[in-house]
Amino acid sequence: MDLTGRIIAVLPAQSGVSSRTGNSWMSQDYVIEVPGQYPRRCVFRIFGEDRIKQFNVQMNEDVTVQFEIDAHEYQGRWFNDIRAYNIIRGQVAPAAGATPFPPTQPAAPASDAPFPPAQEVPAEGSADDLPF
């Protein structure tokens, strides 16, 4: 999945040591705001010190985030995990008021008249005597 918007928060990095493997780990969370009439915000995570350094995400940067969504259970509650696997810089976000999704139905062709053009009425005594 992809989101295009502006980074509005860079949260502190978190690190630790895995209790299962004993390996150290690092992750950092970011908040992206997707513009529109009603702006949307999403927190995503970059996992791994090498990726955090590689992507080097900064405040107020316009980016497209490619991510995966997964969920996990902890003590009877479920939590979403949104992990970025790629960051594309320099993407221009849609203008304010624009919808990021395509319309559900194709738009009708533009026309000045609200109704189709009137049909020509045949002359009296014509072979075509149908009223329409």
Side-chain angles (χ1 to χ4, degrees):
M1 298 182 82
D2 295 354
L3 276 179
T4 300
R6 178 165 286 168
I7 301 297
I8 61 169
V10 177
L11 304 174
Q14 300 171 344
S15 61
V17 177
S18 171
S19 61
R20 273 190 289 172
T21 64
N23 295 334
S24 62
W25 57 269
M26 179 181 258
S27 71
Q28 190 164 10
D29 292 343
Y30 304 86
V31 180
I32 187 169
E33 183 175 70
V34 179
Q37 182 178 4
Y38 302 106
R40 305 278 184 182
R41 294 175 196 93
C42 181
V43 175
F44 67 92
R45 173 172 292 146
I46 297 176
F47 191 83
E49 185 175 3
D50 56 336
R51 285 193 171 183
I52 293 170
K53 289 179 181 178
Q54 174 190 354
F55 296 143
N56 191 26
V57 177
Q58 302 295 319
M59 280 286 295
N60 297 317
E61 193 172 19
D62 289 329
V63 296
T64 295
V65 179
Q66 296 176 330
F67 60 92
E68 296 174 340
I69 300 175
D70 194 19
H72 63 275
E73 184 262 339
Y74 179 72
Q75 296 183 351
R77 294 186 63 194
W78 285 88
F79 299 89
N80 287 324
D81 188 19
I82 301 172
R83 285 194 185 182
Y85 61 85
N86 193 19
I87 303 289
I88 302 170
R89 287 185 163 68
Q91 296 290 323
V92 178
T99 177
F101 304 107
T104 56
Q105 296 178 351
S111 173
D112 292 338
F115 299 102
Q119 299 291 321
E120 225 177 277
V121 178
E124 258 330 290
S126 169
D128 185 12
D129 60 351
L130 296 174
F132 49 90

